Amino acid sequence: MNTNHHQTPGQSRFRRVRRVLPLALTGLAATLLTGCQQVRQSLTIGDLSSGYNREIFWMSVWAIALSIIIFIGVSYALFYTVNKFREDKHDAPPAQFHGNNRLEVILVVVPVIIVVFLSVLTVRSMARLNPNINADTQNINVLARQFWWNFSYPEAAAAAGGVVSNGNEMIMPTRQKVALTITSGDVIHGFWAPNIGGQRAALPAVKKTWQVDIDRAGAYQGNCSQLCGASHANMRYKVVALDQDRYNTFVTAASAYRAPEPAPGSAEARGYTLFMQGKTETGALACAACHRVQGTPAAGAAGPDLSFFGTRRTLGAGMWEAMTAEHWEAADAKVRLHEWIKHSPLVKPGSLMPTYDGSEYRVNGKVQKGGVLTDAEIDDVAAYLRTLQLPEEADYWKGTQIQGAPQGGTQ
Ligand code: CUA
């Protein structure tokens, strides 16, 4: 056991904890005071509507069945032997022998058969879970970043002549193979939405393709499964599975989408200007520098794509959800969005988004000071964001069942 303590790393870790803890407590207090909107959704690999989970399930059934047979066989042999060869004081000492070829061969052959059976079972499942990807498979590119996800749709993008992507909400078709090409923009993350399958590492500079499918339409919970920094636990996403025609409607609408232009002089129009240009006088940075909105000059790639923000129902990579009928118009959803724009690093530790209340935040360990927007200006930006909606027929939340939620809610 090494008892040498290096003082400095421990101390700096403590200092980091001291710095992060008040932020975490503030976030927790805010959550408790205003009523958390997070809908609890169970995560399960026992969801047999996914081909991936079915394969794992049947592999387990075979492996467990074999284990039970072995258990019964060994138990029987044990009890039989103990009973039959019980010591009796009238017995003469048993005959001694050295070596028994038949027994030795059996004790080698039987385990070999067991191991071969289990290997074949495993290798067969591995091959089925990692098939060659067909050309007609739907493709979705998954990019993990600290601490959010971006999902892009190559088919839609090809039709749109550019990029079609969505932050933190992945739309996929049901009853069809979907090829996810997963990568990371910084550290190692884990793509993990157990209802549609197991987990896959998102590795920086490596693209891995993985095929999944699900039969049942609905919204499923996804989490980052690899400790990746201060907001690892705040790196959630939704997988929204739509039946094929609805998925096609989404892809078509997403390719044709151009952000609506706000009416001149409206709050949304003021928000648009702040979004695109920031406010130089107070040092408030333009949102467009980091975020993209399809059909506008905003083309930033450092933050999540906000093209369909008004259609989305999650904020801050699933920290909050706007699942009521009023959606972003609900009073507390408005409060959340306001708080998020105002000082996202305060509500989400490690968020790289600047603050807009003049408070300090950190980017790569360097302290930065945010510019300032007034509360009214923040509300203007929020009003603009709420207008960024897909046409109603392409609203993938509409009528979508939230799977695994205790209330079994629909949108
Ligand atoms: Cu990303 Cu944990």
Side-chain angles (χ1 to χ4, degrees):
M1 199 71 188
N2 182 5
T3 50
N4 284 336
H5 284 285
H6 298 283
Q7 293 286 338
T8 357
Q11 278 178 342
S12 80
R13 204 172 303 133
F14 179 65
R15 238 176 282 133
R16 217 173 304 143
V17 168
R18 266 200 317 198
R19 204 168 57 228
V20 169
L21 198 63
L23 291 178
L25 290 177
T26 314
L28 183 67
T31 303
L32 293 175
L33 286 174
T34 54
C36 182
Q37 284 217 338
Q38 185 89 38
V39 176
R40 282 169 171 273
Q41 249 184 299
S42 63
L43 302 166
T44 175
I45 58 162
D47 189 339
L48 298 186
S49 57
S50 114
Y52 191 98
N53 290 343
R54 277 196 299 271
E55 182 63 41
I56 299 286
F57 175 79
W58 285 111
M59 188 189 77
S60 313
V61 166
W62 280 106
I64 290 168
L66 178 66
S67 309
I68 290 172
I69 292 169
I70 293 170
F71 177 78
I72 292 171
V74 171
S75 306
Y76 176 78
L78 182 69
F79 283 109
Y80 175 82
T81 318
V82 165
N83 191 40
K84 175 146 199 215
F85 301 104
R86 197 183 314 163
E87 188 188 25
D88 188 321
K89 57 176 178 273
H90 304 299
D91 276 355
Q96 300 298 304
F97 62 89
H98 179 77
N100 181 326
N101 284 342
R102 201 168 61 160
L103 186 66
E104 280 164 22
V105 167
I106 290 172
L107 289 183
V108 169
V109 168
V110 171
V112 165
I113 291 172
I114 293 169
V115 169
V116 167
F117 179 79
L118 288 175
S119 308
V120 168
L121 205 60
T122 313
V123 171
R124 190 183 67 154
S125 287
M126 284 167 72
R128 285 179 180 174
L129 294 175
N130 298 284
N132 294 323
I133 309 290
N134 293 327
D136 62 344
T137 308
Q138 287 286 331
N139 293 288
I140 300 175
N141 296 328
V142 179
L143 171 66
R145 301 289 300 267
Q146 283 171 318
F147 299 95
W148 50 276
W149 302 84
N150 225 55
F151 302 102
S152 53
Y153 303 85
E155 279 88 3
V163 184
V164 170
S165 70
N166 196 19
N168 303 317
E169 293 179 4
M170 183 179 104
I171 323 302
M172 69 180 277
T174 57
R175 299 175 182 281
Q176 201 192 333
K177 303 287 181 202
V178 177
L180 305 176
T181 301
I182 303 173
T183 190
S184 163
D186 37 52
V187 300
I188 300 175
H189 301 275
F191 181 95
W192 186 55
N195 292 70
I196 65 164
Q199 55 175 310
R200 279 292 188 277
L203 304 168
V206 176
K207 283 185 178 179
K208 289 243 170 156
T209 303
W210 177 37
Q211 190 170 282
V212 294
D213 66 87
I214 190 145
D215 295 342
R216 192 196 322 103
Y220 301 88
Q221 181 66 40
N223 284 17
C224 178
S225 61
Q226 183 80 42
L227 182 61
C228 56
S231 266
H232 159 65
N234 295 323
M235 194 173 160
R236 298 190 272 264
Y237 58 99
K238 296 283 180 192
V239 173
V240 181
L242 299 177
D243 289 330
Q244 189 70 51
D245 50 340
R246 280 195 71 193
Y247 179 76
N248 292 342
T249 308
F250 163 76
V251 169
T252 310
S255 344
Y257 179 85
R258 299 290 174 269
E261 267 181 49
S266 61
E268 291 79 7
R270 293 194 296 274
Y272 173 87
T273 310
L274 288 166
F275 187 96
M276 295 301 162
Q277 296 164 14
K279 197 175 168 192
T280 332
E281 309 92 279
T282 63
L285 300 170
C287 314
C290 296
H291 296 282
R292 180 178 170 277
V293 176
Q294 197 173 323
T296 75
D305 194 308
L306 296 177
S307 298
F308 318 133
F309 180 84
T311 300
R312 272 162 51 181
R313 302 223 172 166
T314 56
L315 178 63
M319 281 189 82
W320 299 305
E321 299 176 1
M323 293 295 181
T324 60
E326 291 162 284
H327 197 178
W328 290 120
E329 300 300 330
D332 70 337
K334 282 188 170 170
V335 172
R336 294 296 188 203
L337 184 51
H338 184 97
E339 288 296 298
W340 181 260
I341 298 169
K342 191 170 182 172
H343 42 219
S344 116
L346 189 73
V347 293
K348 181 168 178 172
S351 166
L352 295 180
M353 193 167 135
T355 57
Y356 289 90
D357 60 358
S359 61
E360 286 182 349
Y361 65 101
R362 274 163 191 273
V363 175
N364 299 326
K366 272 195 218 119
V367 177
Q368 313 264 343
K369 205 163 154 33
V372 178
L373 293 182
T374 64
D375 281 345
E377 286 167 332
I378 288 172
D379 285 335
D380 290 345
V381 173
Y384 174 63
L385 287 175
R386 283 196 292 267
T387 67
L388 301 176
Q389 294 180 25
L390 286 163
E392 205 180 332
E393 73 274 11
D395 178 354
Y396 49 84
W397 279 111
K398 208 163 181 207
T400 293
Q401 195 89 26
I402 299 176
Q403 302 294 347
Q407 308 88 343
T410 32
Q411 288 315 298

